Amino acid sequence: MKFFLDTAVIDEIEEAASWGVLSGVTTNPTLYLRAGGTLAGFHDHLKRICDIVDGPVSGETVGLERAEIVREGEELAAIAPNLVVKVPTMPEGLAATKTLKEKGIDVNMTLCFTVSQALLAARSGARYVSPFIGRFDDISEHGIGHLGDVIKALSNYDFGHPVEVITASVRHPYHVVAAAELGADIATVPFSVLEKLVRHPLTDRGLESFLSDWEKVKNA
Ligand code: G3P
């Protein structure tokens, strides 16, 4: 499984990249706002992220009509070679994805919840399909169950181009573990979840005991 960070915070991206585990980044307008973003600084901020990350960086379009989405997508794709255009799953989004794909621009189709949406996204030319997990849990549905359905359905077909599943709307470490067991290609996670994935109380306890014994060795 590849790990992406779902953030627009530069410090978090630099830290995860320094661990050698960062394969990509996904952003959206909410995350950019949370990172203190301004409209004027949007493209420069994405460029900074693209320079740090050795892998795809998703920048989201906000247009609702196909020509607008394509125009925004072209502008975003011009920022850096590793910029992937994030497009919402909707009819106008499918049409824009088809056009962007024809122009050689990779699309990450987001806000994807169902098998039918994922199949259509892949068929329209999306390079990445992002099923959301946590938002299903929020409405008392089984997000991981839906993810499993999407992975299984997509694996039945050859879309004529590579399609990778990005597990999105990840809120807990167990979402990542379950997604890996289902064979999801990628999980995009907040930095807080990435930190929880690496830590374990038994590791902390083991380290504490090794360090205390090493003190005894030094003093013997
Ligand atoms: O990658 C999409 C993600 O940012 C959405 O997460 O927690 O808002 O459902 P959330």
Side-chain angles (χ1 to χ4, degrees):
M1 167 177 270
K2 285 180 276 189
F3 296 95
F4 286 12
L5 264 192
D6 197 30
T7 187
V9 177
I10 300 288
D11 286 354
E12 294 179 348
I13 295 165
E14 284 177 337
E15 181 63 12
S18 76
W19 298 355
V21 301
L22 189 65
S23 297
V25 163
T26 51
T27 68
N28 62 37
T30 308
L31 295 171
Y32 182 56
L33 177 71
R34 221 178 274 161
T38 60
L39 184 59
F42 182 51
H43 281 201
D44 284 348
H45 194 84
L46 280 177
K47 174 82 174 92
R48 270 188 82 190
I49 297 174
C50 287
D51 287 346
I52 298 166
V53 180
D54 186 13
V57 173
S58 293
E60 188 153 350
T61 56
V62 291
L64 296 177
E65 189 269 318
R66 67 188 75 181
E68 206 182 345
I69 301 170
V70 170
R71 185 187 47 76
E72 280 180 53
E74 287 182 298
E75 283 173 13
L76 289 171
I79 292 174
N82 55 336
L83 196 297
V84 169
V85 179
K86 208 171 175 190
V87 176
T89 310
M90 56 183 185
E92 293 295 300
L94 292 177
T97 297
K98 172 184 182 294
T99 303
L100 289 167
K101 165 96 168 55
E102 285 164 358
K103 291 173 181 280
I105 295 171
D106 281 346
V107 168
N108 169 6
M109 189 138 265
T110 188
L111 285 168
C112 176
F113 291 88
T114 65
V115 168
S116 56
Q117 288 179 318
L119 288 169
L120 291 165
R123 188 56 69 191
S124 75
R127 172 71 180 76
Y128 302 94
V129 178
S130 291
F132 276 37
I133 304 307
R135 292 193 194 184
F136 267 128
D137 294 356
D138 291 345
I139 58 163
S140 303
E141 287 197 37
H142 187 217
I144 288 296
H146 286 288
L147 174 71
D149 293 342
V150 165
I151 291 171
K152 187 165 183 305
L154 289 181
S155 73
N156 287 334
Y157 303 101
D158 176 358
F159 295 96
H161 64 277
V163 178
E164 287 183 275
V165 171
I166 303 180
T167 310
S169 183
V170 166
R171 312 275 176 75
H172 306 283
Y174 84 83
H175 280 150
V176 178
V177 175
E181 285 169 0
L182 290 169
D185 303 291
I186 298 156
T188 189
V189 303
F191 187 74
S192 58
V193 170
L194 190 68
E195 278 185 312
K196 284 181 193 149
L197 285 166
V198 74
R199 290 198 180 283
H200 195 280
L202 290 177
T203 306
D204 294 342
R205 206 179 307 161
L207 182 60
E208 212 173 285
S209 120
F210 290 157
L211 290 178
S212 121
D213 287 346
W214 187 242
E215 277 307 307
K216 288 174 199 154
V217 168
K218 285 200 295 189
N219 296 327

Short mmCIF file of all heavy atoms in Angstrom, two decimals, residues 168-208:
data_model
loop_
_atom_site.label_atom_id
_atom_site.label_comp_id
_atom_site.label_asym_id
_atom_site.label_seq_id
_atom_site.Cartn_x
_atom_site.Cartn_y
_atom_site.Cartn_z
N ALA A 168 -10.03 7.23 0.78
CA ALA A 168 -10.09 8.62 1.24
C ALA A 168 -11.08 8.77 2.38
O ALA A 168 -11.80 7.83 2.71
CB ALA A 168 -10.46 9.54 0.07
N SER A 169 -11.10 9.97 2.95
CA SER A 169 -11.94 10.24 4.13
C SER A 169 -11.59 9.23 5.23
O SER A 169 -12.44 8.59 5.82
CB SER A 169 -13.43 10.15 3.74
OG SER A 169 -14.27 10.47 4.82
N VAL A 170 -10.28 9.13 5.46
CA VAL A 170 -9.75 8.21 6.48
C VAL A 170 -9.67 8.96 7.80
O VAL A 170 -9.11 10.05 7.87
CB VAL A 170 -8.34 7.72 6.05
CG1 VAL A 170 -7.62 7.06 7.21
CG2 VAL A 170 -8.45 6.79 4.86
N ARG A 171 -10.26 8.37 8.83
CA ARG A 171 -10.28 9.06 10.13
C ARG A 171 -9.50 8.30 11.20
O ARG A 171 -9.15 8.86 12.21
CB ARG A 171 -11.73 9.20 10.62
CG ARG A 171 -12.70 9.74 9.60
CD ARG A 171 -12.70 11.25 9.58
NE ARG A 171 -13.57 11.74 8.51
CZ ARG A 171 -14.91 11.71 8.59
NH1 ARG A 171 -15.51 11.24 9.66
NH2 ARG A 171 -15.62 12.18 7.58
N HIS A 172 -9.30 6.97 10.99
CA HIS A 172 -8.71 6.13 12.03
C HIS A 172 -7.66 5.20 11.42
O HIS A 172 -7.80 4.78 10.28
CB HIS A 172 -9.78 5.25 12.70
CG HIS A 172 -10.94 6.02 13.21
ND1 HIS A 172 -10.89 6.74 14.38
CD2 HIS A 172 -12.19 6.20 12.70
CE1 HIS A 172 -12.06 7.32 14.57
NE2 HIS A 172 -12.85 7.02 13.57
N PRO A 173 -6.68 4.80 12.22
CA PRO A 173 -5.69 3.82 11.72
C PRO A 173 -6.36 2.54 11.23
O PRO A 173 -5.91 1.95 10.25
CB PRO A 173 -4.82 3.54 12.95
CG PRO A 173 -4.92 4.77 13.78
CD PRO A 173 -6.32 5.30 13.56
N TYR A 174 -7.44 2.11 11.88
CA TYR A 174 -8.05 0.84 11.45
C TYR A 174 -8.63 0.94 10.04
O TYR A 174 -8.72 -0.05 9.33
CB TYR A 174 -9.11 0.34 12.46
CG TYR A 174 -10.49 0.91 12.31
CD1 TYR A 174 -11.38 0.38 11.37
CD2 TYR A 174 -10.90 1.98 13.09
CE1 TYR A 174 -12.65 0.91 11.22
CE2 TYR A 174 -12.17 2.51 12.95
CZ TYR A 174 -13.04 1.99 12.02
OH TYR A 174 -14.29 2.53 11.87
N HIS A 175 -9.00 2.14 9.60
CA HIS A 175 -9.44 2.31 8.20
C HIS A 175 -8.31 1.90 7.24
O HIS A 175 -8.54 1.28 6.21
CB HIS A 175 -9.79 3.78 7.91
CG HIS A 175 -11.15 4.19 8.39
ND1 HIS A 175 -11.44 5.48 8.77
CD2 HIS A 175 -12.30 3.51 8.52
CE1 HIS A 175 -12.71 5.57 9.13
NE2 HIS A 175 -13.26 4.39 8.99
N VAL A 176 -7.08 2.28 7.60
CA VAL A 176 -5.94 2.01 6.73
C VAL A 176 -5.63 0.51 6.71
O VAL A 176 -5.40 -0.08 5.66
CB VAL A 176 -4.70 2.80 7.21
CG1 VAL A 176 -3.49 2.50 6.35
CG2 VAL A 176 -5.01 4.30 7.22
N VAL A 177 -5.64 -0.09 7.90
CA VAL A 177 -5.35 -1.52 8.00
C VAL A 177 -6.40 -2.32 7.22
O VAL A 177 -6.05 -3.22 6.42
CB VAL A 177 -5.31 -1.96 9.48
CG1 VAL A 177 -5.13 -3.46 9.59
CG2 VAL A 177 -4.19 -1.22 10.21
N ALA A 178 -7.66 -1.99 7.41
CA ALA A 178 -8.72 -2.71 6.70
C ALA A 178 -8.61 -2.49 5.19
O ALA A 178 -8.81 -3.43 4.41
CB ALA A 178 -10.08 -2.25 7.21
N ALA A 179 -8.27 -1.28 4.79
CA ALA A 179 -8.12 -0.99 3.35
C ALA A 179 -6.97 -1.79 2.76
O ALA A 179 -7.06 -2.31 1.64
CB ALA A 179 -7.90 0.50 3.14
N ALA A 180 -5.88 -1.93 3.53
CA ALA A 180 -4.73 -2.71 3.05
C ALA A 180 -5.13 -4.18 2.90
O ALA A 180 -4.74 -4.85 1.94
CB ALA A 180 -3.56 -2.57 4.01
N GLU A 181 -5.89 -4.68 3.86
CA GLU A 181 -6.32 -6.08 3.78
C GLU A 181 -7.23 -6.32 2.56
O GLU A 181 -7.26 -7.42 2.01
CB GLU A 181 -7.03 -6.49 5.08
CG GLU A 181 -6.01 -6.70 6.21
CD GLU A 181 -6.63 -6.83 7.60
OE1 GLU A 181 -7.87 -6.76 7.72
OE2 GLU A 181 -5.86 -6.99 8.55
N LEU A 182 -7.93 -5.27 2.15
CA LEU A 182 -8.79 -5.39 0.97
C LEU A 182 -8.01 -5.18 -0.33
O LEU A 182 -8.55 -5.35 -1.42
CB LEU A 182 -9.92 -4.34 1.03
CG LEU A 182 -10.99 -4.59 2.10
CD1 LEU A 182 -11.88 -3.35 2.24
CD2 LEU A 182 -11.84 -5.80 1.74
N GLY A 183 -6.75 -4.76 -0.20
CA GLY A 183 -5.92 -4.57 -1.40
C GLY A 183 -6.03 -3.18 -2.02
O GLY A 183 -5.69 -3.01 -3.20
N ALA A 184 -6.48 -2.19 -1.24
CA ALA A 184 -6.53 -0.81 -1.78
C ALA A 184 -5.10 -0.39 -2.14
O ALA A 184 -4.16 -0.67 -1.40
CB ALA A 184 -7.11 0.14 -0.75
N ASP A 185 -4.95 0.28 -3.28
CA ASP A 185 -3.60 0.65 -3.74
C ASP A 185 -2.97 1.70 -2.83
O ASP A 185 -1.76 1.69 -2.59
CB ASP A 185 -3.67 1.23 -5.17
CG ASP A 185 -4.31 0.25 -6.14
OD1 ASP A 185 -3.69 -0.78 -6.42
OD2 ASP A 185 -5.45 0.52 -6.59
N ILE A 186 -3.82 2.62 -2.36
CA ILE A 186 -3.32 3.82 -1.68
C ILE A 186 -4.27 4.16 -0.54
O ILE A 186 -5.49 3.93 -0.64
CB ILE A 186 -3.31 5.02 -2.68
CG1 ILE A 186 -2.36 4.75 -3.86
CG2 ILE A 186 -2.95 6.34 -1.98
CD1 ILE A 186 -2.69 5.53 -5.12
N ALA A 187 -3.73 4.73 0.54
CA ALA A 187 -4.58 5.38 1.55
C ALA A 187 -4.09 6.80 1.70
O ALA A 187 -2.87 7.03 1.85
CB ALA A 187 -4.49 4.66 2.89
N THR A 188 -4.99 7.76 1.62
CA THR A 188 -4.60 9.14 1.88
C THR A 188 -5.09 9.51 3.27
O THR A 188 -6.28 9.37 3.57
CB THR A 188 -5.09 10.11 0.78
OG1 THR A 188 -4.48 11.39 1.03
CG2 THR A 188 -6.60 10.25 0.71
N VAL A 189 -4.14 9.90 4.12
CA VAL A 189 -4.46 10.02 5.55
C VAL A 189 -4.04 11.37 6.10
O VAL A 189 -3.04 11.95 5.67
CB VAL A 189 -3.75 8.91 6.36
CG1 VAL A 189 -4.13 7.53 5.84
CG2 VAL A 189 -2.24 9.05 6.36
N PRO A 190 -4.80 11.88 7.10
CA PRO A 190 -4.32 13.06 7.81
C PRO A 190 -3.03 12.72 8.54
O PRO A 190 -2.80 11.54 8.88
CB PRO A 190 -5.45 13.35 8.82
CG PRO A 190 -6.64 12.58 8.35
CD PRO A 190 -6.11 11.41 7.59
N PHE A 191 -2.20 13.73 8.81
CA PHE A 191 -0.92 13.48 9.48
C PHE A 191 -1.12 12.82 10.83
O PHE A 191 -0.35 11.94 11.24
CB PHE A 191 -0.12 14.79 9.63
CG PHE A 191 1.26 14.56 10.14
CD1 PHE A 191 2.24 14.02 9.34
CD2 PHE A 191 1.58 14.88 11.46
CE1 PHE A 191 3.52 13.79 9.82
CE2 PHE A 191 2.86 14.65 11.95
CZ PHE A 191 3.83 14.11 11.12
N SER A 192 -2.21 13.20 11.55
CA SER A 192 -2.47 12.62 12.88
C SER A 192 -2.68 11.10 12.77
O SER A 192 -2.27 10.35 13.66
CB SER A 192 -3.70 13.27 13.51
OG SER A 192 -4.82 13.11 12.66
N VAL A 193 -3.29 10.64 11.69
CA VAL A 193 -3.48 9.19 11.51
C VAL A 193 -2.15 8.53 11.16
O VAL A 193 -1.84 7.45 11.68
CB VAL A 193 -4.56 8.91 10.43
CG1 VAL A 193 -4.60 7.43 10.07
CG2 VAL A 193 -5.93 9.38 10.91
N LEU A 194 -1.35 9.18 10.34
CA LEU A 194 -0.04 8.60 10.00
C LEU A 194 0.81 8.40 11.26
O LEU A 194 1.46 7.36 11.42
CB LEU A 194 0.70 9.52 9.01
CG LEU A 194 1.96 8.94 8.39
CD1 LEU A 194 1.64 7.78 7.45
CD2 LEU A 194 2.75 10.00 7.64
N GLU A 195 0.77 9.39 12.15
CA GLU A 195 1.54 9.27 13.40
C GLU A 195 1.04 8.09 14.23
O GLU A 195 1.83 7.33 14.79
CB GLU A 195 1.39 10.54 14.23
CG GLU A 195 2.32 11.65 13.80
CD GLU A 195 2.22 12.85 14.73
OE1 GLU A 195 1.08 13.28 15.02
OE2 GLU A 195 3.27 13.35 15.15
N LYS A 196 -0.30 7.93 14.28
CA LYS A 196 -0.86 6.81 15.07
C LYS A 196 -0.47 5.47 14.43
O LYS A 196 -0.34 4.46 15.13
CB LYS A 196 -2.38 6.93 15.15
CG LYS A 196 -2.84 7.99 16.13
CD LYS A 196 -4.35 8.06 16.20
CE LYS A 196 -4.78 9.31 16.94
NZ LYS A 196 -6.06 9.84 16.48
N LEU A 197 -0.31 5.46 13.11
CA LEU A 197 0.03 4.20 12.44
C LEU A 197 1.43 3.71 12.81
O LEU A 197 1.70 2.51 12.78
CB LEU A 197 -0.07 4.37 10.92
CG LEU A 197 -1.48 4.41 10.35
CD1 LEU A 197 -1.47 4.91 8.92
CD2 LEU A 197 -2.15 3.04 10.41
N VAL A 198 2.31 4.63 13.15
CA VAL A 198 3.69 4.22 13.43
C VAL A 198 3.92 3.94 14.91
O VAL A 198 4.86 3.23 15.27
CB VAL A 198 4.70 5.27 12.89
CG1 VAL A 198 4.73 6.51 13.75
CG2 VAL A 198 6.10 4.69 12.77
N ARG A 199 3.06 4.47 15.75
CA ARG A 199 3.30 4.31 17.19
C ARG A 199 2.58 3.10 17.74
O ARG A 199 1.49 2.73 17.29
CB ARG A 199 2.79 5.55 17.94
CG ARG A 199 3.63 6.76 17.69
CD ARG A 199 3.42 7.83 18.75
NE ARG A 199 4.24 9.00 18.47
CZ ARG A 199 5.54 9.07 18.72
NH1 ARG A 199 6.18 8.05 19.27
NH2 ARG A 199 6.23 10.15 18.43
N HIS A 200 3.24 2.46 18.76
CA HIS A 200 2.56 1.39 19.50
C HIS A 200 3.05 1.41 20.94
O HIS A 200 4.26 1.56 21.18
CB HIS A 200 2.84 0.02 18.86
CG HIS A 200 1.89 -1.02 19.35
ND1 HIS A 200 2.05 -1.64 20.57
CD2 HIS A 200 0.76 -1.51 18.81
CE1 HIS A 200 1.05 -2.49 20.76
NE2 HIS A 200 0.25 -2.42 19.71
N PRO A 201 2.16 1.26 21.93
CA PRO A 201 2.59 1.32 23.33
C PRO A 201 3.64 0.26 23.68
O PRO A 201 4.52 0.52 24.51
CB PRO A 201 1.30 1.09 24.13
CG PRO A 201 0.24 0.78 23.15
CD PRO A 201 0.71 1.15 21.79
N LEU A 202 3.57 -0.90 23.03
CA LEU A 202 4.57 -1.94 23.34
C LEU A 202 5.95 -1.53 22.82
O LEU A 202 6.97 -1.88 23.41
CB LEU A 202 4.15 -3.29 22.75
CG LEU A 202 2.93 -3.96 23.42
CD1 LEU A 202 2.58 -5.25 22.70
CD2 LEU A 202 3.19 -4.22 24.89
N THR A 203 5.97 -0.80 21.71
CA THR A 203 7.25 -0.28 21.19
C THR A 203 7.82 0.72 22.19
O THR A 203 9.00 0.67 22.54
CB THR A 203 7.05 0.42 19.82
OG1 THR A 203 6.38 -0.49 18.96
CG2 THR A 203 8.36 0.85 19.21
N ASP A 204 6.94 1.63 22.69
CA ASP A 204 7.40 2.64 23.65
C ASP A 204 7.92 1.97 24.92
O ASP A 204 8.97 2.33 25.44
CB ASP A 204 6.25 3.60 24.01
CG ASP A 204 5.82 4.43 22.81
OD1 ASP A 204 6.61 4.52 21.84
OD2 ASP A 204 4.70 4.98 22.82
N ARG A 205 7.16 0.95 25.40
CA ARG A 205 7.55 0.26 26.63
C ARG A 205 8.88 -0.48 26.42
O ARG A 205 9.77 -0.48 27.27
CB ARG A 205 6.46 -0.73 27.05
CG ARG A 205 6.48 -0.98 28.55
CD ARG A 205 5.40 -1.93 28.99
NE ARG A 205 4.07 -1.55 28.54
CZ ARG A 205 3.03 -2.37 28.48
NH1 ARG A 205 3.17 -3.65 28.81
NH2 ARG A 205 1.85 -1.95 28.09
N GLY A 206 9.02 -1.12 25.26
CA GLY A 206 10.25 -1.86 24.95
C GLY A 206 11.45 -0.92 24.91
O GLY A 206 12.51 -1.21 25.46
N LEU A 207 11.25 0.25 24.30
CA LEU A 207 12.33 1.22 24.17
C LEU A 207 12.76 1.72 25.55
O LEU A 207 13.96 1.81 25.86
CB LEU A 207 11.86 2.38 23.29
CG LEU A 207 12.87 3.48 23.02
CD1 LEU A 207 14.10 2.92 22.30
CD2 LEU A 207 12.24 4.57 22.16
N GLU A 208 11.73 2.00 26.38
CA GLU A 208 12.00 2.48 27.74
C GLU A 208 12.87 1.46 28.49
O GLU A 208 13.85 1.82 29.14
CB GLU A 208 10.66 2.61 28.45
CG GLU A 208 10.57 3.70 29.49
CD GLU A 208 9.13 3.80 29.97
OE1 GLU A 208 8.27 4.33 29.22
OE2 GLU A 208 8.87 3.28 31.06
#
